[in-house]
Amino acid sequence: MVSNNFYLCLFLIYFINSYSDAYRILVIAPFNSKSHTNMMESVGKALALKEHQVDVISHFEMKNPPKNYTTIMNLDGSLKKVVNTWTIKMVEHYRHVDIVAKIIEEFGNNFCELMALEKMQRFIKNPPNDPPYDLVITEAFGTNCFFGFGHILKVPVVMVSALTEFLWYNEILGNPMSNAYAVNFATKNSRVVTFWDRVKNHFWAHYNNYRFFKYTEDNQTLAMKKYLSQDIPNIREIEKKTSLILVNGYQSFFGIKPLTPAVVQIAGIQIELSETKLTPELKIWMDKSTHGVVFFTLGSMVIIEDLPKEILLGLYAAFEKLAPIRVLMKIVNKDKLPEGLPKNVLTMSWIPQIPVLRHKNTKVFMTHGGLNSAQEGLYFAVPMIGFPLFGDQPLNIRVLADKNVAYEMDYKDITEKSLNKALRAVLYDSKYREAAKRESQLFRDRHMSATDTAVFWIEYVIRNGANSLRSPAMDMPWWKAELVDVYAFFFISILLISYSVYFVLRKISSLICSILNSSFKNHRKKD
């Protein structure tokens, strides 16, 4: 008879083998935006579900996290809240500001001061070492100072971009910019077609990169030396030590462009890992909405009820005409709405977006065009009406409008008539539904899920070292990587060859003329 000790030994061997490849990973999410944090949380959650130990520093705590996912530091309250706080006045301000300057200063240099927090300093001076960290994951936005955690912990750094990658990260990782055809969000064009499109795209790409590197270098280097370590290198050297960027993009959305192995697209990871469900009451309402549902939200930051009264009344009139189709609208404070809300409209202060978009009765998604929202609507093949407000939203909606997945509007132009026109088009013109289905299929069709892709490449960096995906371009000055010296060599060579040919031909011509003249003179003398 086999003893209990034998089974215990087998269990211990299995347990040790199961966890021998588990790593300890630190996730730092400095930006206090819920949509940005969703990307960071999703990557952390994917790793925790693969049995890695994930420690998180964030402004938000995940509800019902996996067993290996731990929020070790909650930054909530350290910055002004942005969730459900943005008024239309704030939207208008951000619509007209220089967004790159804002990223550099407000969402970059200023955020480095989070490292000064007492609890952050305690962690920096006494990081856990049982076991030590194997990797740091942090956001690729404007706060490159947080890459310094990799230096003090002596581990690789992986970046996560909640948006499509900013071009300065292409330069950091040695990835080709492809300005001839890859759109740059600063130009707000959805396509690069004409000569002047290419001129603007190329100019703004290099100009914004110059600005980012110039205006973050001193401030963020100083912050790292002040809060992390006096002997830490310059921020530009720290950036060059990063190993990988995980990007909230996919080829079918923003288009084909060359990527080094260190740039990995994981758009849709938050959809794959979402566990949110409809509340029982909302599920009943959705199930009973057999004529269809129009879902309207402006995301986690902007409050719809702050729209001007005439716009809200225009919404009311258009929604009332939709009946028996119903409308589901995110309203944080219903008391701020004007009277006369139509009977076919349901308002809620919080709406589980993914299960609503997944529901068979959802026919139209009215959205601000934040990247997560745009991709979630696309994933579930829901045609959209887009009201881009600021940042990357105009580009996101324009890309979808070009594909006939979305109908683009300016929120200022909302009237009963204009919204009726948009709703009729998206509800009853089959081109929107067919385009949404086609683009949804392209967005989903991948050799590996976004979740598995993210986990594989993070584990790859840990297994094979921080430089395992390093591009040779990272060690070259820009003029070498862009072959400026080679083009200069070709140009000078052509000039020299052309001049040499010209010089030889001129000499030959001169010699021939001289011979002919001499022959002519001799002939005249004989005559």
Side-chain angles (χ1 to χ4, degrees):
M1 186 174 180
V2 182
S3 68
N4 289 336
N5 287 338
F6 175 76
Y7 288 113
L8 180 61
C9 286
L10 284 179
F11 173 76
L12 288 172
I13 291 169
Y14 171 79
F15 181 83
I16 291 169
N17 287 336
S18 296
Y19 287 87
S20 60
D21 291 331
Y23 304 114
R24 188 171 193 182
I25 296 167
L26 175 64
V27 177
I28 307 173
F31 195 34
N32 58 333
S33 160
K34 186 60 179 169
S35 59
H36 285 241
T37 303
N38 282 345
M39 280 297 295
M40 302 296 295
E41 282 185 350
S42 297
V43 172
K45 183 177 181 180
L47 291 163
L49 291 172
K50 293 291 184 178
E51 306 298 341
H52 299 300
Q53 183 179 342
V54 179
D55 295 347
V56 181
I57 297 174
S58 172
H59 296 269
F60 304 91
E61 289 201 43
M62 183 188 292
K63 295 179 180 178
N64 305 315
K67 62 179 180 180
N68 298 325
Y69 183 106
T70 307
T71 301
I72 61 169
M73 191 185 307
N74 191 336
L75 300 176
D76 184 33
S78 59
L79 294 172
K80 185 178 178 181
K81 291 185 182 295
V82 298
V83 175
N84 293 330
T85 61
W86 277 42
T87 63
I88 296 303
K89 183 178 179 181
M90 294 170 70
V91 167
E92 283 301 308
H93 169 71
Y94 277 89
R95 267 187 144 191
H96 302 291
V97 299
D98 180 345
I99 189 64
V100 173
K102 279 289 181 184
I103 292 170
I104 290 169
E105 192 60 38
E106 189 169 336
F107 305 133
N109 297 341
N110 290 351
F111 273 61
C112 294
E113 294 301 313
L114 287 171
M115 295 188 291
L117 294 172
E118 184 180 346
K119 51 189 173 183
M120 189 74 86
Q121 282 297 301
R122 285 199 302 268
F123 176 87
I124 291 166
K125 291 171 182 175
N126 295 289
N129 288 302
D130 187 23
Y133 288 111
D134 297 290
L135 184 90
V136 170
I137 299 175
T138 190
E139 184 159 7
F141 194 50
T143 51
N144 292 6
C145 52
F146 285 89
F147 299 170
F149 277 81
H151 177 82
I152 64 170
L153 296 173
K154 297 178 172 59
V155 296
V157 174
V158 169
M159 304 173 280
V160 176
S161 176
L163 309 173
T164 185
E165 73 274 15
F166 290 101
L167 294 183
W168 45 82
Y169 292 108
N170 282 336
E171 189 161 327
I172 287 169
L173 292 169
N175 192 63
M177 284 192 184
S178 310
N179 294 327
Y181 52 87
V183 293
N184 170 9
F185 91 100
T187 65
K188 296 182 173 59
N189 290 336
S190 58
R191 289 183 294 171
V192 180
V193 180
T194 68
F195 169 77
W196 289 112
D197 287 343
R198 288 185 286 120
V199 169
K200 288 189 293 182
N201 208 47
H202 195 59
F203 169 79
W204 285 109
H206 285 284
Y207 177 60
N208 287 331
N209 280 7
Y210 164 78
R211 294 164 68 203
F212 182 83
F213 292 127
K214 177 177 173 61
Y215 295 112
T216 59
E217 183 164 7
D218 291 343
N219 286 321
Q220 299 205 18
T221 299
L222 180 63
M224 291 193 304
K225 288 183 177 295
K226 186 177 180 181
Y227 302 127
L228 292 177
S229 170
Q230 277 294 328
D231 61 358
I232 200 166
N234 182 283
I235 185 71
R236 300 288 87 94
E237 293 180 51
I238 290 295
E239 289 167 349
K240 293 295 183 183
K241 294 182 179 181
T242 54
S243 302
L244 174 70
I245 184 169
L246 303 173
V247 178
N248 190 12
Y250 189 60
Q251 62 195 35
S252 71
F253 194 100
F254 288 113
I256 304 295
K257 54 187 172 182
L259 301 173
T260 70
V263 180
V264 176
Q265 298 178 324
I266 59 165
I269 188 172
Q270 85 283 6
I271 307 170
E272 295 174 0
L273 292 169
S274 174
E275 296 177 356
T276 55
K277 297 179 180 179
L278 298 172
T279 62
E281 297 79 11
L282 182 56
K283 186 178 186 309
I284 292 170
W285 187 88
M286 291 290 298
D287 289 344
K288 288 184 175 179
S289 302
T290 53
H291 292 280
V293 172
V294 173
F295 175 37
F296 182 26
T297 174
L298 293 181
S300 62
M301 296 166 63
V302 179
I303 46 180
I304 292 175
E305 56 268 37
D306 195 61
L307 286 168
K309 183 177 180 181
E310 62 272 17
I311 290 179
L312 289 170
L313 293 177
L315 288 167
Y316 284 10
F319 289 160
E320 190 169 27
K321 285 187 175 180
L322 282 178
I325 294 173
R326 289 174 161 183
V327 178
L328 177 62
M329 186 160 56
K330 184 200 166 196
I331 299 294
V332 177
N333 187 348
K334 190 176 178 180
D335 293 338
K336 291 187 177 181
L337 288 174
E339 294 182 359
L341 188 71
K343 293 180 180 179
N344 62 326
V345 177
L346 174 65
T347 67
M348 298 178 69
S349 60
W350 176 83
I351 297 172
Q353 182 162 295
I354 289 175
V356 167
L357 291 171
R358 184 190 294 123
H359 198 282
K360 64 180 182 179
N361 288 339
T362 302
K363 303 301 181 186
V364 177
F365 182 25
M366 294 173 58
T367 174
H368 63 309
L371 191 51
N372 283 350
S373 291
Q375 290 175 347
E376 286 160 14
L378 185 64
Y379 191 90
F380 295 110
V382 181
M384 294 170 241
I385 299 175
F387 307 94
L389 302 176
F390 56 86
D392 65 323
Q393 296 163 18
L395 173 60
N396 299 337
I397 291 299
R398 218 152 284 163
V399 165
L400 292 174
D402 270 358
K403 299 175 188 294
N404 289 326
V405 175
Y407 185 110
E408 183 178 2
M409 290 184 69
D410 190 320
Y411 83 89
K412 291 181 177 180
D413 296 333
I414 293 177
T415 61
E416 177 184 355
K417 183 178 179 180
S418 66
L419 189 55
N420 275 338
K421 181 182 177 182
L423 286 165
R424 281 198 304 270
V426 179
L427 280 167
Y428 303 117
D429 188 338
S430 61
K431 76 175 183 182
Y432 290 98
R433 179 68 60 182
E434 290 168 3
K437 288 178 180 177
R438 181 181 66 253
E439 294 299 328
S440 176
Q441 171 63 23
L442 287 171
F443 188 71
R444 289 171 175 244
D445 195 358
R446 313 182 192 191
H447 72 289
M448 189 187 296
S449 70
T451 304
D452 289 341
T453 300
V455 171
F456 173 82
W457 286 109
I458 290 170
E459 291 177 341
Y460 182 95
V461 167
I462 298 174
R463 287 195 305 267
N464 298 296
N467 294 328
S468 54
L469 298 174
R470 187 178 183 85
S471 166
M474 294 175 72
D475 300 314
M476 293 179 175
W478 70 268
W479 51 270
K480 279 189 179 180
E482 296 289 337
L483 295 174
V484 172
D485 53 343
V486 175
Y487 286 122
F489 170 76
F490 287 154
F491 179 70
I492 293 170
S493 297
I494 290 169
L495 285 179
L496 288 173
I497 291 169
S498 299
Y499 179 77
S500 298
V501 170
Y502 169 76
F503 180 80
V504 170
L505 290 174
R506 186 177 177 183
K507 286 293 183 182
I508 292 171
S509 176
S510 178
L511 180 61
I512 292 171
C513 288
S514 178
I515 292 171
L516 289 173
N517 285 336
S518 176
S519 175
F520 179 72
K521 286 177 182 178
N522 289 336
H523 181 72
R524 290 190 64 181
K525 284 179 181 179
K526 288 180 180 179
D527 289 344

